[in-house]
Amino acid sequence: MKKAIYPGTFDPLTYGHIDILQRSLKIFDKITILLAKNTQKKTFFNLEERRSQIEDVLKEYQLDDRVDIDSFNGLLVDYCQQKEVQVIIRGLRPLVDFEYEFEMAMTNRGLNENVETVFIITDQKYFYLRSTLIKDILRLGGNVIDSVPQRICEDLIKKIQVNNE
Ligand code: COA
């Protein structure tokens, strides 16, 4: 059984993430989406909201038999050790991601030699997608239905409205 984790903030999960997941499932039998903590980011959706959104999306895409969700506040490599997983999946978009991802992969390797990072190239439709942009577009009255699943789009609109009241 080939297992991997796909960590990130997923604030929120986008079609770009789903694309990475579907491509990764061609290589791995089981994947855990790991809601991990990026200490540089304050999230828009709390942990439970993000978990519930991802659960719905996995069901909708019928991926829930091979993909599960977990969360962790510590180091990624410690999670890998605890769960006996050796592979971290990361999506790679041109230009923007390389240096950051390279640094993160090398840091993780420095912390634990046994954990490998596998990079999956994002579909070009999603090269310039990122969660922050989606939130900005919505706040300014734009449409993001091509970037996130319906349920997540609705959650974003609701939360932006509440925050504006
Ligand atoms: N298509 C489109 N957009 C994508 C994408 C794809 N395939 N993959 C990622 N993105 C976007 C995300 O939407 C996100 O946008 P945002 O910055 O506007 O929020 C951005 O790219 C990066 O997001 P993500 O993939 O979720 O990564 P992250 O930088 O938020 O996550 C962690 C980093 C959580 C994995 C990292 O901080 C970590 O490992 N934390 C645990 C602690 C640890 O071990 N630290 C040491 C690691 S070196």
Side-chain angles (χ1 to χ4, degrees), residues 6-10 12 14 16-17 20 36-38 41 74-77 90-91 93 100 104 107-108 122 126 129-133:
Y6 180 28
T9 312
F10 304 107
T14 68
H17 295 123
I20 296 297
K37 197 166 174 63
N38 181 339
K41 287 183 180 172
L75 284 174
L76 224 49
V77 290
R90 293 290 291 170
R93 295 162 298 167
Y100 173 62
M104 210 152 59
T107 306
N108 284 330
T122 306
Y126 308 121
L129 189 61
R130 49 188 280 130
S131 302
T132 307
L133 269 183

